C-alpha cells in the first residue's frame, strides 16, 4: 500500500476548528490592517500545512502559495492561490485531500498541480501565471523543490524582461481602459482600476526584473490604505468584492473610523494618485532603459579607457537648455548643474512651464529636489512667477503630467495653500467626470485651446484654474469662490483691476449657461441682466470662453451643440448691448517720458537711431525675478524697422514681454518712431549693452541679416516634440477701434522671432506701423498694430482683410 493510500480521511473537526479560529481572528478588535492580514495568512498557512501532512505526501512534493496569498497577506474574503508542486508520480489523491477541505470551508480556491518544468512552461506562455509565480512562497513539503522553482522563475523573468515588460505594460493599459482611473471614480474598483492594488503587483514585478524600481516615497502607505479599505469592504459586505459602491461607503468609513464617505474617498484617491504616479515614473524609466539597450544593439559601443583613444566616442548624457536653470535630458526636464533652488523661488514654476511647453515631463528626481530645496515665493508673487504659472497652464494637455508631479510632491499646495481644500475632493454628481481639483486643471487645459478668442488669455487660464475653489467651503460655491479668489489673486500679484476681473469671472462662471438654458435668451430683460452682470465686452468674451471650457471639462453630458448655440446667441445679444460702453476703446495712449522725448529729438536732428538701454539692477528687479532690460529706440521712420529690431533682440535671446510703438514729430522735421521695449533674458544671462548696440546698428545699416541668422540658428536647434498650441488668429478690429488707422489684432503662441516675422510680413505688405501695443501673457502673444497705407490713411476693408489672412497664414 502506498503512503497516499494509507493516509486516513481528513477530520471534519479540523475544518470546523479552522473556521472558528478564523472567525475569532476577524472579530478581534485588537487586530486590524496589515497585522490582521498577516495573522490571517499565518493561520491559513498552518491549516494548509496540516492538511498537506495529514494527506501523506510522497517525497518530492510541495505546497506553494502564489499570487496574492504568496505575498503573505490575506484580506477577509480573499481567495487562496495554491500550487501543488511535484517531481512526478501519482498526486491526484493528494490534491483531492487538500482541495476538498478548502472548498468545504467556503474559501474560494484557485489551484493547479504541476511539475517545475510545467510551471515554467505555463509561465512562459501566460504572463498572469508568471506574475503569480514571482510571489511563490513555500507552505509545506519539499522546501528545496519550492526554492528551485522560485529561483528558476525569477531567472526566467529577468532574462526575458525586455520582451515581457512591454507586454505587462500593455496588460495594465488595457485593464485601465476597462476599469478607469481609481482617483476619479465615485464607485472605484480598488483592485483593477488604474492606481489600484493590481498596479502595485505590476510595480513589484518590474522591481523583480532588476531593470527599474518604483519611487518608494509614500508607496507603502498607499498600499496599506487601499488594502485596509478593501478589508473593511469585505467585512461590511460579507463578499469578496473589490468595488467600493456608493451604498457601502458610509459603513466602510465608519468601520475604518473615518469621518464620512467623502473623507474616505479623498483618502482612497490620494493613495491611488501615489500609486499611479509611481507607475508613470517607473514605466518611463523602463522605456528609457529598453530604448538604450536597443540603441546599443544597433551600433558599436566603446567603453572609455584611461588613455583615451578607442573610448573617445562615449559621451555623457546630452543636456539641452530649456530655460534659466532648466535643461532637457533623456526626454525629461531636469535642473541644470548650476541651478540653486534655495535662492531661486520661481524655479519650480519655471521648470514646470519649460517642461510643459516643450512637451516633456518633469523628472521625478527634479520634482523631489524642488520640493526639498526651493524656498517659498514672496507674497505677492513676483511677475515672473505669475507669468510662468500662466505659461504652464497654457501648454494644454502637456500641463497635466507636469502638474501631477508638482502635486504629488506637495508643491501645488505650497504655492496655493487654498488648493488643499479641493484636492482629491469628490463630486457626487453623475455629470462630473473628475474630482474638484482635477476638474479645475482640466478646465484650464480646455481654456488653453480657447485663448485666441480673448484679449486676456492669462485671466482666462487663471479663472479656469480657480473657478470652483469655493467647493472647498460651505454654501454657494460661486459666492464663496469670489471671496477666496480675491485673496488668491492678490497673493499671486495681480493688480486691483485684474483681481476684480477674476472675482467677477468666478462669481458668474455659471451665469451664461444657466441663463441661456433656463431663461428666454431673446427677452431684452434677460440680455440686460447678463450685460449688467459682466459690465464690459472684455469680461463677456472671457466669461463665454470660461463657460465653454468649464462645461467641456465637466463631462460629455454638460456641453452640446444646442447648449453652445444658446450661449453664443445670448453672448451675441449682450455684446450688442455693451457695444460702445465705457472702457471698450482699446489700449490707452501712453505718453513718452522725458528721456524718450530727448531720444526722439536727437533722432530727428541727426537722422540716426538714438538708443537708451537700461538694465534692471537687483534693486530695481522685483523679488525673485531675473533681471531684464528696458530698451528705448528712437529712429526716423523707415520701412522694416519693427521686424529688424525684433530680430536683433531674438538673436540675442531676449524675449519680448511688452512693446509700445509710437509715432512722434518732435521738431516738425518728419515722423520719428519711438519703440519702448521690456525684454527678459531667455536663459538669465543678459547680453552686454555694447554688443546689443552694435548689433542694432549693423542690422539697421544692412550689414547684419537678422532673418538669415535666425533661420540658421533654428535649423541647428534640436527638434523637440513640443506642444500643438492653438493656431494664430489675426483679425481686423471693428471700424470704431481707431479713427485714423486700421487696427490689426494678432493672437498667437509666443515663440522666438515671432515679432520679427510679424514685422517682416507687415513690411512686405507695404503698410506703415503707426502705433503698436505688444504684450506677452504667459505663452501667448496679444498684439495690436495700428496701420496705415504709405499716404497715412487707414487701409480699405478689402486690403485689411487680405493682409490679415496673409499674416495669419505666414504665422502658421
Amino acid at each position: 500500500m502506498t503512503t497516499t493510500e494509507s493516509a486516513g480521511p481528513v477530520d471534519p473537526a479540523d475544518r470546523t476548528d479552522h473556521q472558528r479560529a478564523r472567525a475569532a481572528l476577524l472579530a478581534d478588535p485588537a487586530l486590524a490592517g496589515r497585522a490582521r492580514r498577516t495573522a490571517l495568512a499565518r493561520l491559513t498557512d498552518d491549516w494548509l500545512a496540516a492538511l498537506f501532512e495529514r494527506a501523506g505526501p510522497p517525497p518530492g512534493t510541495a505546497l506553494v502559495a502564489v499570487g496574492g496569498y504568496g505575498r503573505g497577506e490575506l484580506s477577509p474574503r480573499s481567495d487562496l492561490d495554491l500550487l501543488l508542486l511535484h517531481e512526478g508520480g501519482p498526486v491526484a489523491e493528494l490534491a483531492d485531500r487538500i482541495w476538498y477541505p478548502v472548498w468545504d470551508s467556503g474559501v474560494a480556491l484557485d489551484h493547479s498541480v504541476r511539475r517545475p518544468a510545467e510551471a515554467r512552461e505555463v509561465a512562459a506562455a501566460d504572463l498572469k501565471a508568471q506574475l503569480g509565480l514571482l510571489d511563490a512562497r513555500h507552505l509545506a513539503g519539499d522546501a528545496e523543490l519550492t526554492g528551485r522553482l522560485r529561483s528558476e522563475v525569477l531567472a526566467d523573468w529577468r532574462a526575458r524582461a525586455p520582451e515581457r515588460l512591454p507586454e505587462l505594460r500593455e496588460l495594465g493599459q488595457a485593464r485601465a481602459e476597462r476599469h478607469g482611473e481609481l482617483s476619479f471614480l465615485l464607485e472605484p474598483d480598488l483592485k483593477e482600476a488604474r492606481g489600484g492594488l493590481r498596479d502595485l503587483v505590476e510595480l513589484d514585478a518590474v522591481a523583480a526584473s532588476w531593470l527599474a524600481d518604483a519611487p518608494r516615497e509614500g508607496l507603502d502607505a498607499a498600499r496599506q490604505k487601499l488594502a485596509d479599505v478593501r478589508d473593511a469592504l469585505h467585512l461590511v459586505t460579507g463578499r469578496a468584492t473589490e468595488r467600493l459602491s456608493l451604498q457601502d461607503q458610509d459603513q466602510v468609513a465608519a468601520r475604518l473610523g473615518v469621518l464620512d464617505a467623502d473623507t474616505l474617498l479623498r483618502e482612497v484617491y490620494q493613495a491611488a494618485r501615489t500609486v499611479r504616479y509611481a507607475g508613470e515614473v517607473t514605466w518611463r524609466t523602463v522605456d528609457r532603459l529598453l530604448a538604450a539597450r536597443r540603441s546599443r544593439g544597433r551600433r558599436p559601443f566603446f567603453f572609455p579607457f584611461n588613455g583615451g583613444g578607442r573610448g573617445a566616442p562615449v559621451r555623457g548624457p546630452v543636456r539641452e537648455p530649456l530655460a534659466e536653470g532648466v535643461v532637457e535630458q533623456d526626454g525629461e526636464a531636469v535642473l541644470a548643474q548650476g541651478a540653486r533652488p534655495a535662492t531661486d523661488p520661481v524655479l519650480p514654476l519655471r521648470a514646470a512651464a519649460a517642461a510643459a511647453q516643450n512637451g516633456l515631463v518633469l523628472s521625478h528626481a527634479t520634482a523631489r529636489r524642488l520640493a526639498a530645496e526651493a524656498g517659498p515665493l514672496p507674497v505677492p508673487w513676483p511677475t515672473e512667477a505669475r507669468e510662468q504659472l500662466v505659461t504652464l497652464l497654457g501648454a494644454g494637455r502637456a500641463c497635466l503630467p507636469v502638474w501631477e508631479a508638482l502635486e504629488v510632491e506637495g508643491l501645488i499646495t505650497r504655492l496655493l495653500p487654498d488648493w488643499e481644500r479641493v484636492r482629491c475632493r469628490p463630486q457626487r454628481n453623475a455629470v462630473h467626470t473628475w474630482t474638484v481639483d482635477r476638474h479645475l486643471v482640466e478646465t484650464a487645459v480646455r481654456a488653453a485651446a480657447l485663448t485666441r478668442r480673448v484679449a486676456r488669455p492669462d485671466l482666462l487660464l487663471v479663472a479656469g484654474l480657480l473657478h470652483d475653489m469655493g467647493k472647498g467651503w460651505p454654501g454657494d460655491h460661486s459666492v464663496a469662490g469670489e471671496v477666496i479668489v480675491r485673496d488668491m489673486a492678490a497673493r499671486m500679484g495681480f493688480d486691483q483691476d485684474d483681481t476684480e476681473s477674476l472675482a467677477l469671472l468666478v462669481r458668474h462662471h455659471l451665469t451664461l449657461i444657466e441663463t441661456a438654458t433656463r431663461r428666454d435668451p431673446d427677452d431684452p430683460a434677460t440680455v440686460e441682466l447678463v450685460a449688467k452682470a459682466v459690465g464690459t465686452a472684455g469680461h463677456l468674451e472671457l466669461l463665454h470662453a470660461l463657460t465653454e471650457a468649464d462645461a467641456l471639462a465637466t463631462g460629455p453630458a454638460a456641453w452640446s451643440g444646442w447648449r453652445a448655440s444658446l450661449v453664443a446667441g445670448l453672448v451675441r445679444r449682450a455684446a450688442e448691448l455693451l457695444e460702445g460702453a465705457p472702457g471698450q476703446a482699446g489700449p490707452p495712449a501712453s505718453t513718452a517720458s522725458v528721456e524718450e522725448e530727448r531720444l526722439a529729438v536727437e533722432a530727428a536732428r541727426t537722422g540716426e537711431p538714438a538708443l537708451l538701454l537700461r538694465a534692471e539692477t537687483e534693486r530695481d528687479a522685483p523679488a525673485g525675478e531675473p533681471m531684464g532690460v528696458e530698451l528705448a529706440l528712437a529712429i526716423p521712420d523707415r520701412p522694416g524697422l519693427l521686424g529688424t529690431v525684433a530680430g536683433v533682440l531674438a538673436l540675442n535671446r531676449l524675449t519680448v514681454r511688452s512693446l509700445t510703438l509710437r509715432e512722434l514729430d518732435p521738431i516738425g522735421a518728419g515722423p520719428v518712431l519711438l519703440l519702448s521695449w521690456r525684454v527678459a533674458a531667455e536663459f538669465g544671462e543678459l547680453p552686454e549693452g555694447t554688443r546689443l548696440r552694435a548689433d542694432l546698428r549693423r542690422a539697421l545699416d544692412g550689414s547684419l541679416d537678422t532673418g538669415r541668422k535666425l533661420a540658421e540658428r533654428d535649423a541647428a536647434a534640436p527638434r523637440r516634440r513640443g506642444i500643438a498650441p492653438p493656431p494664430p488668429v489675426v483679425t481686423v478690429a471693428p471700424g470704431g477701434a481707431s479713427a485714423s488707422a486700421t487696427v490689426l489684432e494678432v493672437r498667437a503662441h509666443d515663440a522666438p522671432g515671432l515679432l520679427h516675422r510679424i514685422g517682416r510680413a507687415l513690411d512686405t505688405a507695404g503698410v506703415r506701423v503707426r502705433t503698436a501695443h505688444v504684450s506677452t501673457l504667459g505663452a501667448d502673444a496679444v498684439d495690436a498694430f495700428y496701420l496705415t497705407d504709405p499716404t497715412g490713411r487707414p487701409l480699405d476693408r478689402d486690403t485689411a482683410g487680405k493682409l490679415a489672412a496673409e499674416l495669419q497664414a505666414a504665422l502658421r
Side-chain angles (χ1 to χ4, degrees), residues 473-532:
W473 300 80
D476 185 330
H477 76 278
S478 297
V479 176
E482 179 184 8
V483 176
I484 296 164
V485 166
R486 274 199 176 92
D487 178 69
M488 295 182 72
R491 178 186 183 89
M492 295 162 72
F494 284 101
D495 63 26
Q496 185 63 36
D497 288 343
D498 287 351
T499 296
E500 290 303 317
S501 293
L502 287 168
L504 182 145
L505 293 172
V506 171
R507 175 66 181 87
H508 291 289
H509 73 271
L510 296 176
T511 295
L512 290 181
I513 189 69
E514 289 182 347
T515 304
T517 57
R518 299 178 186 178
R519 303 279 293 272
D520 180 3
D522 294 319
D523 187 338
T526 301
V527 178
E528 186 176 354
L529 179 69
V530 170
K532 184 178 179 180

Side-chain angles (χ1 to χ4, degrees), residues 391-416:
T391 302
L392 169 61
L393 299 175
R397 301 219 70 80
C399 162
L400 291 174
V402 178
W403 186 276
E404 182 178 15
L406 298 178
E407 196 269 341
V408 167
E409 299 300 340
L411 284 163
I412 296 299
T413 50
R414 188 187 303 178
L415 293 167
L416 304 170

Side-chain angles (χ1 to χ4, degrees), residues 381 389 393 403 412 416 418-419 422 436-437 439-441 443-444 458-472 477-478 480-492 494 499 502-503 505-507 509 546:
W381 289 8
L389 174 64
L393 299 175
W403 186 276
I412 296 299
L416 304 170
D418 291 290
W419 193 261
V422 298
V436 176
D437 61 332
H439 169 70
L440 292 173
V441 181
T443 302
D458 55 333
L459 295 184
L460 173 62
L461 293 168
V462 174
L465 182 69
L466 304 181
H467 74 279
D468 272 351
M469 288 298 299
K471 288 185 175 179
H477 76 278
S478 297
E482 179 184 8
V483 176
I484 296 164
V485 166
R486 274 199 176 92
D487 178 69
M488 295 182 72
R491 178 186 183 89
M492 295 162 72
F494 284 101
T499 296
L502 287 168
L505 293 172
V506 171
R507 175 66 181 87
H509 73 271
L546 176 60

Side-chain angles (χ1 to χ4, degrees), residues 596-619:
E596 289 172 335
E597 288 182 351
R598 180 185 60 77
L599 285 179
V601 170
E602 180 183 344
R605 285 176 175 170
T606 64
E608 296 293 329
L611 297 173
L612 174 65
L613 185 65
R614 191 178 79 89
E616 292 178 331
T617 64
E618 293 184 5
R619 180 185 61 190

